[in-house]
Amino acid sequence: MRNVIEFEMYFATDKHIILGSASPRRKEILQGLCIDFEVDTGNNFEEHFEPGTPLHDIPAILSRGKSHGFHRPLQENEVLITADTIVLCDSEVMGKPHGKEDAERMLRKLSGRTHEVVTGVTIRNHIEEDTFTDVCQVHFAELSESEIAFYIDKFQPFDKAGAYGIQEWIGLAAITGISGSYFTVMGLPAHLVHSHLLHFL
């Protein structure tokens, strides 16, 4: 999939920036930073991590794997951005739910509690790379079974870590506070991407 985004740039650069992610949230965040970029999701990386891996290291490992799994070598003027997000609750790594029942289970577990969202990002050109991680704490109000059912049926959050999107109805109705970056929860820590990307431009 290749999709060129055209709008006024903030960064004055001749570099060709590639977002290696199909996530519409990450695309929206980069657009918000006024970065001219292309989406290219061609990748041969199979997501996995070794048993016993420190939980907060997992997104960085996966984002780096996605970077090096890009389907072709990078050209001299290209910069690739990849990312991975997980939700951590009681030492459980919550990725994307495997269907409706798994989504219900995740939201029941998050209900009325504080959990962590960890996003890892890798920025790479043809000779060097930079991987970094950001963590945000998110607090949910108690969710009723009818609220969980409504959210899943209407918003189908099966492509989201932890089975929810903070920018959707559930974020408005049930998230009572966060400590950290809202955009980290969406899937890309915008402030860190902005500062780290400057080095590659």
Side-chain angles (χ1 to χ4, degrees):
M1 173 183 173
R2 299 175 70 85
N3 183 14
V4 177
I5 314 299
E6 296 180 353
F7 52 93
E8 185 177 357
M9 291 178 60
Y10 168 73
F11 293 104
T13 179
D14 60 354
K15 301 297 184 183
H16 184 71
I17 299 171
I18 302 168
L19 174 63
S21 171
S23 166
R25 279 82 58 188
R26 293 184 179 125
K27 176 180 169 181
E28 178 185 345
I29 291 168
L30 281 190
Q31 287 175 325
L33 285 172
C34 292
I35 298 171
D36 190 16
F37 66 97
E38 176 184 282
V39 174
D40 188 341
T41 59
N43 206 294
N44 56 30
F45 175 65
E46 295 185 7
E47 295 189 21
H48 68 279
F49 51 89
E50 296 298 324
T53 300
L55 300 183
H56 286 81
D57 293 348
I58 292 171
I61 291 170
L62 296 181
S63 72
R64 191 180 300 115
K66 291 176 182 179
S67 181
H68 288 278
F70 193 62
H71 64 101
R72 60 171 176 79
L74 293 178
Q75 303 301 309
E76 289 187 10
N77 70 326
E78 292 181 325
V79 178
L80 175 66
I81 302 172
T82 54
D84 192 85
T85 299
I86 62 170
V87 168
L88 295 177
C89 185
D90 283 347
S91 298
E92 178 186 350
V93 178
M94 293 183 176
K96 299 173 184 176
H98 304 293
K100 183 177 180 179
E101 290 185 0
D102 198 29
E104 291 172 342
R105 179 192 65 80
M106 289 182 180
L107 291 176
R108 288 189 190 107
K109 188 167 185 175
L110 298 177
S111 174
R113 305 182 64 188
T114 298
H115 63 273
E116 290 185 321
V117 178
V118 188
T119 294
V121 180
T122 297
I123 302 177
R124 181 170 67 89
N125 61 21
H126 69 295
I127 57 174
E128 61 179 331
E129 67 183 66
D130 182 13
T131 297
F132 49 93
T133 298
D134 198 45
V135 182
C136 182
Q137 293 187 330
V138 181
H139 184 74
F140 264 76
E142 294 282 348
L143 295 168
S144 68
E145 288 297 309
S146 62
E147 287 173 325
I148 290 172
F150 169 78
Y151 175 66
I152 293 173
D153 289 343
K154 184 170 180 62
F155 291 91
Q156 302 286 304
F158 307 122
D159 64 337
K160 300 176 179 67
Y164 78 91
I166 192 172
Q167 73 280 4
E168 296 176 340
W169 176 86
I170 200 166
L172 297 170
I175 291 179
T176 60
I178 67 171
S179 178
S181 170
Y182 173 92
F183 299 104
T184 292
V185 185
M186 278 186 68
L188 205 63
H191 63 298
L192 294 179
V193 171
H194 173 87
S195 59
H196 284 249
L197 186 58
L198 289 173
H199 171 76
F200 291 86
L201 304 181

